[in-house]
Amino acid sequence: MPKIGKLALPPALALAAALLAQPASADPVEALATTHKSPFNCGKTFNANNWTPGHSPSGSLDWQDYGGDGINGETVRATAAGTAYFYDAGNTSYGKWIEIRHGDGTRTRYAHLATMARAAGGSMSVGQGTAIGTVGSTGGSTAPHLHYEQRTSTGAVDTSPTVDGVTVSLGQKKAITSTNSCGGNPYTPEEVCGGGYAVIDSAALTGGRTYLLYNSGNGNNCVVTLKTTNVGSPSSMSAFLEPEGASRTTNAGSFSYYAGPVVRSAPGQCVKWGGSIGSSSYTSPFEHCG
Protein backbone atom coordinates (compact mmCIF):
# COMPACT_ATOMS: atom_id res chain seq x y z
CA MET A 1 0.00 0.00 0.00
CA PRO A 2 1.52 3.34 -1.00
CA LYS A 3 2.53 5.78 1.69
CA ILE A 4 1.29 9.35 1.41
CA GLY A 5 4.04 11.92 1.43
CA LYS A 6 4.62 15.37 0.12
CA LEU A 7 4.83 14.33 -3.52
CA ALA A 8 1.86 11.94 -3.37
CA LEU A 9 -0.79 14.54 -2.59
CA PRO A 10 -2.40 16.33 -5.56
CA PRO A 11 -2.81 20.07 -5.94
CA ALA A 12 -6.53 19.60 -5.27
CA LEU A 13 -5.76 19.37 -1.58
CA ALA A 14 -5.06 23.07 -1.66
CA LEU A 15 -8.80 23.54 -2.10
CA ALA A 16 -9.11 22.73 1.59
CA ALA A 17 -8.39 26.38 2.25
CA ALA A 18 -11.79 27.25 0.86
CA LEU A 19 -13.45 25.25 3.63
CA LEU A 20 -11.59 26.76 6.52
CA ALA A 21 -13.82 28.90 8.70
CA GLN A 22 -10.80 30.93 9.74
CA PRO A 23 -7.65 30.60 7.64
CA ALA A 24 -4.35 29.75 9.29
CA SER A 25 -2.34 32.85 10.09
CA ALA A 26 1.23 33.74 10.91
CA ASP A 27 0.16 35.10 14.28
CA PRO A 28 1.60 33.41 17.37
CA VAL A 29 -0.37 30.29 18.28
CA GLU A 30 -1.58 30.02 21.86
CA ALA A 31 -0.90 26.81 23.75
CA LEU A 32 -3.69 24.26 23.53
CA ALA A 33 -5.19 23.45 26.93
CA THR A 34 -6.89 20.25 25.74
CA THR A 35 -4.79 17.08 25.93
CA HIS A 36 -5.11 14.90 22.84
CA LYS A 37 -4.60 11.20 22.31
CA SER A 38 -4.03 9.42 19.02
CA PRO A 39 -7.13 9.16 16.81
CA PHE A 40 -6.82 5.36 16.62
CA ASN A 41 -7.55 2.25 18.65
CA CYS A 42 -5.47 1.48 21.72
CA GLY A 43 -2.09 0.01 20.82
CA LYS A 44 -2.21 0.91 17.12
CA THR A 45 0.92 2.57 15.71
CA PHE A 46 0.86 4.83 12.67
CA ASN A 47 3.17 7.48 11.22
CA ALA A 48 2.24 11.12 11.90
CA ASN A 49 3.74 13.17 9.04
CA ASN A 50 3.93 16.97 9.40
CA TRP A 51 5.42 17.49 5.96
CA THR A 52 6.39 20.84 4.52
CA PRO A 53 6.33 22.90 2.32
CA GLY A 54 3.10 22.63 0.37
CA HIS A 55 0.83 20.91 2.85
CA SER A 56 -2.46 22.77 3.26
CA PRO A 57 -2.90 23.97 5.89
CA SER A 58 0.67 24.04 7.13
CA GLY A 59 1.07 22.19 10.42
CA SER A 60 -1.60 19.56 9.83
CA LEU A 61 -0.68 15.89 10.18
CA ASP A 62 -1.10 13.12 7.65
CA TRP A 63 -1.47 9.80 9.48
CA GLN A 64 -0.05 7.05 7.27
CA ASP A 65 0.82 3.35 7.19
CA TYR A 66 3.40 2.10 9.64
CA GLY A 67 5.45 -0.98 8.81
CA GLY A 68 3.12 -3.65 7.48
CA ASP A 69 0.04 -2.13 9.11
CA GLY A 70 -2.12 -0.42 6.49
CA ILE A 71 -4.23 2.47 7.75
CA ASN A 72 -7.10 2.05 5.29
CA GLY A 73 -10.39 1.32 7.05
CA GLU A 74 -9.03 1.94 10.56
CA THR A 75 -11.48 3.25 13.16
CA VAL A 76 -11.01 6.99 13.77
CA ARG A 77 -11.60 8.13 17.35
CA ALA A 78 -12.03 11.55 18.92
CA THR A 79 -8.68 12.72 20.29
CA ALA A 80 -10.49 14.70 23.01
CA ALA A 81 -14.06 15.25 24.20
CA GLY A 82 -16.36 17.82 22.62
CA THR A 83 -19.11 18.20 20.03
CA ALA A 84 -18.52 16.67 16.59
CA TYR A 85 -19.89 18.27 13.40
CA PHE A 86 -20.03 16.28 10.16
CA TYR A 87 -19.38 17.58 6.62
CA ASP A 88 -18.95 16.28 3.07
CA ALA A 89 -17.00 18.20 0.41
CA GLY A 90 -17.58 15.50 -2.20
CA ASN A 91 -14.69 14.70 -4.52
CA THR A 92 -12.63 17.78 -3.58
CA SER A 93 -10.60 19.00 -0.65
CA TYR A 94 -11.33 17.26 2.68
CA GLY A 95 -13.95 14.90 1.23
CA LYS A 96 -15.87 13.47 4.17
CA TRP A 97 -14.63 15.32 7.24
CA ILE A 98 -15.40 16.10 10.87
CA GLU A 99 -14.65 19.02 13.15
CA ILE A 100 -14.76 18.51 16.93
CA ARG A 101 -15.16 21.67 19.02
CA HIS A 102 -13.69 21.15 22.46
CA GLY A 103 -14.71 22.70 25.77
CA ASP A 104 -11.85 25.23 25.79
CA GLY A 105 -12.77 26.57 22.33
CA THR A 106 -10.08 24.64 20.46
CA ARG A 107 -10.91 22.36 17.55
CA THR A 108 -9.66 19.26 15.78
CA ARG A 109 -10.35 18.21 12.20
CA TYR A 110 -10.36 14.74 10.63
CA ALA A 111 -10.49 14.50 6.83
CA HIS A 112 -10.64 12.09 3.84
CA LEU A 113 -12.85 9.71 5.81
CA ALA A 114 -14.45 6.67 4.20
CA THR A 115 -17.39 6.66 6.63
CA MET A 116 -18.69 8.95 9.37
CA ALA A 117 -20.71 8.21 12.50
CA ARG A 118 -23.39 10.65 11.35
CA ALA A 119 -24.49 12.04 8.01
CA ALA A 120 -23.20 15.37 6.74
CA GLY A 121 -24.97 18.21 8.50
CA GLY A 122 -25.33 16.23 11.72
CA SER A 123 -23.64 16.60 15.08
CA MET A 124 -23.12 14.56 18.23
CA SER A 125 -21.53 14.80 21.64
CA VAL A 126 -18.33 12.74 21.91
CA GLY A 127 -15.95 11.69 24.62
CA GLN A 128 -12.24 11.10 24.17
CA GLY A 129 -12.08 7.83 22.28
CA THR A 130 -15.58 7.91 20.77
CA ALA A 131 -15.55 6.29 17.32
CA ILE A 132 -16.43 8.97 14.75
CA GLY A 133 -15.54 7.37 11.41
CA THR A 134 -13.09 5.27 9.41
CA VAL A 135 -9.98 6.11 7.39
CA GLY A 136 -10.42 6.45 3.65
CA SER A 137 -9.33 8.47 0.65
CA THR A 138 -12.25 10.79 -0.14
CA GLY A 139 -11.83 14.31 -1.52
CA GLY A 140 -8.43 15.47 -2.74
CA SER A 141 -6.50 12.33 -1.80
CA THR A 142 -4.65 9.75 -3.88
CA ALA A 143 -4.35 6.97 -1.28
CA PRO A 144 -5.84 6.21 2.14
CA HIS A 145 -4.64 8.34 5.05
CA LEU A 146 -6.10 10.53 7.81
CA HIS A 147 -5.62 14.29 7.55
CA TYR A 148 -5.68 15.72 11.10
CA GLU A 149 -5.50 19.27 12.46
CA GLN A 150 -5.36 20.90 15.89
CA ARG A 151 -6.68 24.47 15.90
CA THR A 152 -6.75 27.15 18.56
CA SER A 153 -9.89 28.99 19.64
CA THR A 154 -9.01 31.72 17.10
CA GLY A 155 -8.90 29.19 14.26
CA ALA A 156 -5.10 29.19 13.82
CA VAL A 157 -3.51 25.81 13.10
CA ASP A 158 -1.03 24.58 15.70
CA THR A 159 2.01 23.86 13.52
CA SER A 160 3.59 21.63 16.20
CA PRO A 161 0.67 19.50 17.39
CA THR A 162 1.10 17.15 20.33
CA VAL A 163 -0.63 13.77 20.35
CA ASP A 164 -0.22 11.14 23.08
CA GLY A 165 2.57 13.25 24.55
CA VAL A 166 4.55 13.33 21.27
CA THR A 167 5.08 16.70 19.55
CA VAL A 168 5.40 16.57 15.77
CA SER A 169 6.90 19.82 14.47
CA LEU A 170 7.05 21.04 10.88
CA GLY A 171 9.11 18.69 8.72
CA GLN A 172 8.97 15.80 11.18
CA LYS A 173 7.51 12.33 10.76
CA LYS A 174 7.07 10.22 13.89
CA ALA A 175 5.56 6.82 14.65
CA ILE A 176 3.05 7.23 17.48
CA THR A 177 1.38 4.41 19.40
CA SER A 178 -2.16 5.15 20.54
CA THR A 179 -3.18 5.09 24.19
CA ASN A 180 -6.72 6.19 23.29
CA SER A 181 -9.26 4.12 25.28
CA CYS A 182 -6.50 1.94 26.74
CA GLY A 183 -7.57 0.35 29.98
CA GLY A 184 -11.15 1.07 29.03
CA ASN A 185 -13.86 -0.98 27.41
CA PRO A 186 -12.49 -3.38 24.77
CA TYR A 187 -15.81 -3.30 22.93
CA THR A 188 -17.19 -0.66 20.55
CA PRO A 189 -20.90 0.03 19.85
CA GLU A 190 -20.39 -1.15 16.27
CA GLU A 191 -18.89 -4.44 17.42
CA VAL A 192 -21.73 -5.10 19.85
CA CYS A 193 -24.50 -4.32 17.34
CA GLY A 194 -22.76 -6.11 14.46
CA GLY A 195 -21.81 -5.44 10.86
CA GLY A 196 -23.51 -2.63 8.98
CA TYR A 197 -24.38 -0.50 12.02
CA ALA A 198 -23.14 3.07 12.50
CA VAL A 199 -23.55 5.36 15.51
CA ILE A 200 -26.09 8.14 14.87
CA ASP A 201 -26.42 9.48 18.42
CA SER A 202 -25.08 8.99 21.93
CA ALA A 203 -25.48 10.33 25.45
CA ALA A 204 -23.08 10.46 28.38
CA LEU A 205 -23.72 8.54 31.60
CA THR A 206 -21.73 8.52 34.82
CA GLY A 207 -19.34 5.67 34.16
CA GLY A 208 -20.11 5.20 30.50
CA ARG A 209 -22.20 6.09 27.48
CA THR A 210 -25.34 4.88 25.74
CA TYR A 211 -25.49 4.74 21.92
CA LEU A 212 -28.11 4.62 19.18
CA LEU A 213 -27.00 2.97 15.95
CA TYR A 214 -28.69 2.44 12.59
CA ASN A 215 -28.18 -0.12 9.82
CA SER A 216 -29.06 1.43 6.47
CA GLY A 217 -28.91 -2.00 4.85
CA ASN A 218 -31.79 -3.54 6.78
CA GLY A 219 -33.40 -0.48 8.40
CA ASN A 220 -32.89 -1.74 11.96
CA ASN A 221 -32.05 0.40 15.00
CA CYS A 222 -29.73 -0.81 17.77
CA VAL A 223 -29.05 0.52 21.28
CA VAL A 224 -26.10 -0.45 23.47
CA THR A 225 -24.75 0.99 26.73
CA LEU A 226 -20.99 0.70 27.32
CA LYS A 227 -18.99 1.19 30.50
CA THR A 228 -15.91 3.40 30.70
CA THR A 229 -15.21 2.82 34.42
CA ASN A 230 -15.33 -0.35 36.53
CA VAL A 231 -14.89 -2.22 33.28
CA GLY A 232 -14.83 -5.98 33.80
CA SER A 233 -16.72 -5.84 37.12
CA PRO A 234 -20.44 -6.76 37.03
CA SER A 235 -22.81 -3.90 37.89
CA SER A 236 -26.34 -2.76 37.11
CA MET A 237 -26.78 -1.58 33.50
CA SER A 238 -29.51 -1.30 30.90
CA ALA A 239 -30.27 -0.39 27.28
CA PHE A 240 -33.71 0.13 25.74
CA LEU A 241 -35.39 0.96 22.45
CA GLU A 242 -39.01 1.97 21.90
CA PRO A 243 -40.47 2.65 18.44
CA GLU A 244 -43.28 5.20 18.63
CA GLY A 245 -46.63 3.46 19.09
CA ALA A 246 -44.98 0.16 20.03
CA SER A 247 -43.80 -1.52 23.22
CA ARG A 248 -40.37 -0.92 24.73
CA THR A 249 -37.65 -3.58 24.58
CA THR A 250 -35.11 -3.45 27.43
CA ASN A 251 -31.97 -5.39 28.23
CA ALA A 252 -31.13 -4.92 31.91
CA GLY A 253 -29.00 -6.79 34.39
CA SER A 254 -25.60 -6.99 36.04
CA PHE A 255 -23.03 -6.73 33.26
CA SER A 256 -19.25 -6.35 33.12
CA TYR A 257 -18.86 -4.48 29.83
CA TYR A 258 -22.12 -3.52 28.14
CA ALA A 259 -25.91 -3.78 28.12
CA GLY A 260 -27.63 -4.70 24.88
CA PRO A 261 -27.69 -4.94 22.00
CA VAL A 262 -31.38 -4.07 21.71
CA VAL A 263 -32.37 -4.29 18.04
CA ARG A 264 -35.74 -3.19 16.61
CA SER A 265 -37.09 -2.41 13.17
CA ALA A 266 -38.96 0.90 13.05
CA PRO A 267 -39.58 1.85 9.40
CA GLY A 268 -41.13 5.29 9.14
CA GLN A 269 -41.29 5.63 12.92
CA CYS A 270 -39.63 7.82 15.51
CA VAL A 271 -37.81 6.03 18.31
CA LYS A 272 -37.21 6.64 22.00
CA TRP A 273 -33.97 5.17 23.29
CA GLY A 274 -31.55 5.26 26.20
CA GLY A 275 -29.90 3.33 28.97
CA SER A 276 -28.47 3.39 32.45
CA ILE A 277 -25.41 2.59 34.54
CA GLY A 278 -26.25 2.35 38.21
CA SER A 279 -28.37 5.38 39.12
CA SER A 280 -27.24 7.39 36.08
CA SER A 281 -29.73 7.15 33.21
CA TYR A 282 -30.71 8.76 29.92
CA THR A 283 -34.03 8.70 28.07
CA SER A 284 -34.37 10.44 24.73
CA PRO A 285 -37.51 12.06 23.35
CA PHE A 286 -39.04 10.41 20.29
CA GLU A 287 -36.57 11.33 17.53
CA HIS A 288 -34.59 10.06 14.54
CA CYS A 289 -37.79 9.39 12.65
CA GLY A 290 -37.42 6.96 9.76
Side-chain angles (χ1 to χ4, degrees):
M1 184 174 295
K3 300 238 172 73
I4 306 298
K6 172 185 172 184
L7 297 179
L9 291 175
L13 188 57
L15 292 174
L19 292 175
L20 306 184
Q22 298 188 46
S25 70
D27 296 334
V29 176
E30 79 247 30
L32 298 181
T34 299
T35 300
H36 295 273
K37 293 194 173 184
S38 167
F40 302 106
N41 289 337
C42 177
K44 298 292 289 190
T45 301
F46 291 109
N47 282 315
N49 190 359
N50 192 349
W51 56 270
T52 190
H55 199 190
S56 178
S58 180
S60 52
L61 298 180
D62 277 354
W63 292 89
Q64 304 166 341
D65 298 350
Y66 175 78
D69 196 356
I71 200 168
N72 191 31
E74 284 289 330
T75 296
V76 177
R77 298 186 177 276
T79 60
T83 301
Y85 297 86
F86 298 81
Y87 305 91
D88 192 344
N91 295 323
T92 64
S93 188
Y94 289 177
K96 290 182 172 66
W97 67 284
I98 299 167
E99 179 176 86
I100 298 180
R101 300 171 192 174
H102 307 289
D104 61 355
T106 62
R107 308 171 188 180
T108 46
R109 291 186 176 186
Y110 313 72
H112 305 312
L113 300 171
T115 63
M116 301 189 296
R118 300 203 69 172
S123 65
M124 64 184 282
S125 172
V126 298
Q128 187 175 65
T130 297
I132 56 174
T134 58
V135 174
S137 189
T138 58
S141 170
T142 59
H145 69 290
L146 176 67
H147 175 97
Y148 173 79
E149 302 170 19
Q150 291 181 2
R151 290 175 169 263
T152 70
S153 58
T154 66
V157 176
D158 183 354
T159 57
S160 294
T162 299
V163 179
D164 260 311
V166 180
T167 298
V168 187
S169 299
L170 284 171
Q172 294 183 330
K173 179 179 180 180
K174 296 183 178 181
I176 300 177
T177 299
S178 176
T179 65
N180 208 341
S181 300
C182 290
N185 202 314
Y187 298 95
T188 66
E190 296 86 352
E191 289 170 336
V192 176
C193 288
Y197 284 91
V199 174
I200 60 171
D201 208 347
S202 70
L205 299 169
T206 301
R209 199 168 191 90
T210 187
Y211 298 85
L212 174 66
L213 297 88
Y214 180 71
N215 188 321
S216 60
N218 58 27
N220 287 342
N221 299 279
C222 178
V223 176
V224 59
T225 301
L226 271 70
K227 287 184 177 181
T228 55
T229 61
N230 298 318
V231 176
S233 299
S235 62
S236 176
M237 300 178 65
S238 72
F240 76 85
L241 181 57
E242 178 184 340
E244 191 169 19
S247 61
R248 177 178 297 190
T249 300
T250 302
N251 177 236
S254 183
F255 304 119
S256 298
Y257 297 95
Y258 59 83
V262 178
V263 178
R264 294 285 296 272
S265 176
Q269 295 174 279
C270 303
V271 296
K272 182 181 288 186
W273 61 279
S276 66
I277 298 176
S279 61
S280 177
S281 65
Y282 172 78
T283 298
S284 79
F286 281 110
E287 58 184 0
H288 300 295
C289 305

